[in-house]
Amino acid sequence: MGEIYSVYEVMPNGDETDLNAIANNLANIVPAGVKVNKTEVVPHVFGLMKIHVELIINADDETIGSKLEDALTGIEGVGDVECISSTNI
């Protein structure tokens, strides 16, 4: 079973989005085969914040990337999701 270590940034669609609530619930939102390793709400730009999330992804499912991004973008209050790094482990 291969695994991938990926880092995503989750940006809100407005400053009223409760990023702490989203970050605390990510383990329940990501699809099977994805483990949340670490989440952190960090500064973004112009006083806005974003979620920095580190994930361990089971590489055996060829569609896991699409499932993950669909799950993240489907969260109410999320405006954009970006994978900033990904590597095999």
Side-chain angles (χ1 to χ4, degrees):
M1 171 173 92
E3 292 184 318
I4 300 169
Y5 172 82
S6 291
V7 178
Y8 277 77
E9 291 183 342
V10 179
M11 277 67 80
N13 61 5
D15 59 356
E16 65 282 345
T17 301
D18 187 351
L19 292 178
N20 289 311
I22 293 172
N24 291 333
N25 197 35
L26 278 178
N28 299 320
I29 295 170
V30 296
V34 178
K35 178 185 173 226
V36 175
N37 194 44
K38 179 182 176 184
T39 61
E40 185 177 20
V41 177
V42 297
H44 183 46
V45 294
F46 305 115
L48 292 176
M49 304 296 279
K50 65 183 174 185
I51 300 171
H52 176 90
V53 59
E54 299 174 12
L55 305 164
I56 306 296
I57 302 169
N58 180 335
D60 293 341
D61 182 352
E62 293 180 13
T63 63
I64 195 71
S66 296
K67 291 176 187 176
L68 173 61
E69 292 200 8
D70 288 346
L72 294 175
T73 57
I75 300 169
E76 185 176 340
V78 169
D80 191 29
V81 173
E82 181 179 0
C83 179
I84 60 169
S85 72
S86 192
T87 187
N88 292 326
I89 54 174

